[in-house]
Amino acid sequence: MTQKLYIQTNGCQMNEYDSDKMRDVLKASHGLEITQNPEDADVLLLNTCSIREKAQEKVFSAVGRWKKIKDKRPDIIIGVGGCVASQEGEAIQKRAPYVDIVFGPQTLHRLPELLNQARRGKQKVVDISFPEIEKFDSLPEPRAEGPKAFVSVMEGCSKYCTYCVVPYTRGEEISRPLNDVIAEIESLAQQGVREINLLGQNVNAYRGEMDDGDIASFSLLLHYVAAVDGIDRIRFTTSHPLEFTDDIIEAYTEIPQLVSHLHLPVQSGSNRILSAMKRGHTREDYLQIMEKIKQARPGISLSSDFIIGFPGETDEEFEDTMRLIEEVGFDFSYSFIFSPRPGTPAAEFEDAIPMDVKKQRLERLQTRLTEMTQAISKSMIGTVQTVLVEGVSRKNPLHMTGRTENNRAVNFAAHPRLAGQFVDVLITEALPNSLRGRLVESSVEKIVQTA
């Protein structure tokens, strides 16, 4: 009888990518099939994220619910992976002794053996080591699911921003060899993938070894990816301003496959706060990058991350962030109230800002960002957008859905056979979280003629 695997994923796109690889390695080794119901699973895995507030408590809340399943079926295996697992290690099992396996982001490829160990000896298994690039060398062949795919090109971060746990949970920056990345993308392209999203905690810090011993920069990687037959759209996340170099900006003039959207976290518009965060760049540095990228790709959509209420942030320093938003003209962005992460320097900073003040600031910032997002969406009405058709719309089975270059979901009436194709769509309506459109028939005729 086929055994089943349930994975709950918290956090970023890197975690989503890692969860897919957990599924792949356990299917290859043990034939485990994914289930959407934890009650049916023989193996329960929680892939954790330590970025959000109360991350540890959320872990124990989740596995606490699974304990009830294990009480009924003692043979099931409960595993906790990801960044919280890397941080807490054996402490997870001391507090929740019913957890069988604890593993870090860099050891997910060892899951088959960890599972065997847990089943053989009923012993508690912990592996939160940092074996560098070994993880990628040990994964099964990439498997495409639809026309889009994520490809991790590097792991970790060496920037040590004072608020961030990533260097401690995922290690310092390690890049995959260039040929390995391109081989994975070529395999995905042969399976019908048309859009690649390159992933890394600090993706533009990529420094991949080449066959001749030279090191490939991130901009060179972009050129290699663009040369892969079948890949017509390239995204990447997440970048750091400190290494958003001129050759990457120049790539926007040279590589049409690069989408007209850039997500570049700034976190604050105040130079004093940026220094306290140890970001390594100033407000002026960031604005200069924005000016250059707009020149290289006119009309590009720009988004960012913001931390509000960082310890010591004054009213005027918050206003610096609001002014930065207006100067850049951001599209959709992500913003959060500062919450201290255990083990980071900022967790020890004196934080005298009242929570109601932080909430007021966040609400004001998010309101303005939403207004800017909606204005851009409305400005798209009447324009023709190139959309990669992903599949049937969840809201209407007679409609298809896809995304524009600036990452907006569009729903429109079309035949399911268009899935995986690029089509032109006339935007007719802007809704709060998506667009509606009408298929431009001439783009479908091109597809039929070239099929």
Side-chain angles (χ1 to χ4, degrees):
M1 183 176 176
T2 301
Q3 293 204 319
K4 295 182 179 179
L5 168 68
Y6 177 83
I7 304 177
Q8 178 179 320
T9 307
N10 301 335
C12 65
Q13 289 172 323
M14 283 294 282
N15 273 26
E16 295 285 350
Y17 177 87
D18 284 349
S19 289
D20 287 344
K21 299 308 176 185
M22 293 176 199
R23 174 202 63 194
D24 291 346
V25 296
L26 289 175
K27 180 176 176 60
S29 65
H30 289 73
L32 294 180
E33 295 288 349
I34 281 289
T35 176
Q36 302 304 319
N37 183 2
E39 298 279 349
D40 294 338
D42 300 281
V43 178
L44 294 158
L45 297 181
L46 178 63
N47 190 7
T48 63
C49 173
S50 54
I51 298 299
R52 302 289 175 257
E53 190 176 5
K54 299 179 179 177
Q56 284 82 353
E57 293 308 311
K58 290 176 182 177
V59 168
F60 293 112
S61 175
V63 296
R65 291 191 295 270
W66 291 354
K67 180 180 183 296
K68 298 175 183 177
I69 303 174
K70 194 175 180 75
D71 287 342
K72 297 176 186 176
R73 297 164 51 214
D75 287 340
I76 71 166
I77 298 294
I78 295 177
V80 176
C83 292
V84 174
S86 182
Q87 253 185 314
E88 299 296 315
E90 293 179 359
I92 291 175
Q93 292 172 331
K94 288 180 180 177
R95 181 168 167 182
Y98 46 87
V99 171
D100 302 286
I101 302 171
V102 177
F103 60 101
Q106 267 67 34
T107 53
L108 68 86
H109 61 288
R110 298 176 180 171
L111 265 175
E113 180 53 31
L114 300 179
L115 178 57
N116 289 340
Q117 289 178 31
R119 282 178 167 171
R120 269 197 311 263
K122 294 297 181 184
Q123 69 214 55
K124 303 302 180 185
V125 180
V126 179
D127 188 347
I128 54 170
S129 58
F130 292 90
E132 296 190 348
I133 213 70
E134 174 192 309
K135 163 181 166 180
F136 295 105
D137 294 336
S138 307
L139 295 176
E141 284 296 309
R143 181 174 58 175
E145 293 184 352
K148 302 194 307 182
F150 294 101
V151 173
S152 182
V153 303
M154 56 88 68
E155 282 269 0
C157 184
S158 302
K159 299 297 176 286
Y160 289 92
C161 297
T162 56
Y163 55 84
C164 185
V165 297
V166 167
Y168 311 102
T169 59
R170 286 186 178 263
E172 296 210 338
E173 293 161 358
I174 297 292
S175 297
R176 297 174 65 188
L178 178 68
N179 278 1
D180 291 0
V181 174
I182 299 305
E184 180 172 343
I185 293 172
E186 286 175 342
S187 174
L188 290 166
Q190 290 165 9
Q191 297 175 61
V193 168
R194 308 291 301 281
E195 176 181 306
I196 289 292
N197 195 329
L198 304 174
L199 293 181
Q201 271 78 29
N202 183 20
V203 71
N204 56 325
Y206 176 82
R207 301 291 185 271
E209 186 176 357
M210 303 174 70
D211 278 350
D212 60 5
D214 283 351
I215 300 299
S217 65
F218 185 64
S219 62
L220 182 59
L221 172 64
L222 291 174
H223 281 277
Y224 269 85
V225 175
V228 175
D229 188 34
I231 300 301
D232 298 310
R233 188 177 274 183
I234 304 170
R235 302 183 189 273
F236 57 86
T237 191
T238 292
S239 302
H240 194 293
L242 196 59
E243 294 183 279
F244 209 86
T245 49
D246 285 346
D247 58 332
I248 298 175
I249 294 171
E250 186 67 23
Y252 280 87
T253 68
E254 299 169 341
I255 303 175
Q257 293 94 328
L258 263 177
V259 296
S260 289
H261 169 247
L262 170 63
H263 183 75
L264 187 61
V266 63
Q267 308 301 357
S268 174
S270 158
N271 280 339
R272 192 191 71 80
I273 294 296
L274 289 171
S275 178
M277 290 177 168
K278 200 183 171 187
R279 290 288 290 170
H281 65 85
T282 64
R283 169 198 184 94
E284 291 74 25
D285 294 334
Y286 189 87
L287 288 172
Q288 186 177 46
I289 293 170
M290 293 294 99
E291 182 180 347
K292 288 180 178 179
I293 199 72
K294 288 177 181 179
Q295 291 175 356
R297 185 69 68 87
I300 191 170
S301 163
L302 301 166
S303 61
S304 192
D305 294 344
F306 299 93
I307 295 174
I308 302 305
F310 191 80
E313 181 187 65
T314 65
D315 289 340
E316 182 58 30
E317 286 165 344
F318 171 69
E319 294 301 330
D320 286 339
T321 298
M322 294 300 297
R323 284 189 283 270
L324 180 76
I325 289 171
E326 299 297 334
E327 286 184 61
V328 174
F330 286 109
D331 199 342
F332 60 91
S333 294
Y334 304 98
S335 49
F336 309 93
I337 289 175
F338 168 80
S339 59
R341 300 272 65 83
T344 62
E348 306 300 321
F349 292 177
E350 183 180 351
D351 186 5
I353 307 170
M355 182 53 70
D356 62 336
V357 172
K358 294 181 182 183
K359 289 180 178 178
Q360 289 168 9
R361 289 176 183 173
L362 182 68
E363 182 179 4
R364 184 176 156 208
L365 177 129
Q366 289 182 336
T367 297
R368 181 59 186 135
L369 286 171
T370 299
E371 290 172 352
M372 297 170 83
T373 299
Q374 292 175 344
I376 292 173
S377 292
K378 289 178 181 177
S379 73
M380 295 172 69
I381 296 174
T383 67
V384 174
Q385 300 289 324
T386 300
V387 173
L388 175 58
V389 186
E390 297 175 20
V392 177
S393 170
R394 288 179 295 177
K395 297 181 179 180
N396 186 335
L398 298 179
H399 286 190
M400 300 297 283
T401 189
R403 287 193 176 265
T404 61
E405 281 206 23
N406 62 356
N407 214 25
R408 278 167 169 74
V410 186
N411 297 297
F412 52 96
H415 196 282
R417 70 173 180 273
L418 292 180
Q421 303 292 333
F422 286 95
V423 296
D424 292 333
V425 176
L426 175 67
I427 305 303
T428 58
E429 188 176 0
L431 303 174
N433 298 308
S434 63
L435 303 173
R436 286 181 182 163
R438 186 171 65 248
L439 192 65
V440 176
E441 292 299 329
S442 59
S443 68
V444 181
E445 292 170 7
K446 289 180 186 176
I447 293 172
V448 173
Q449 290 170 2
T450 58

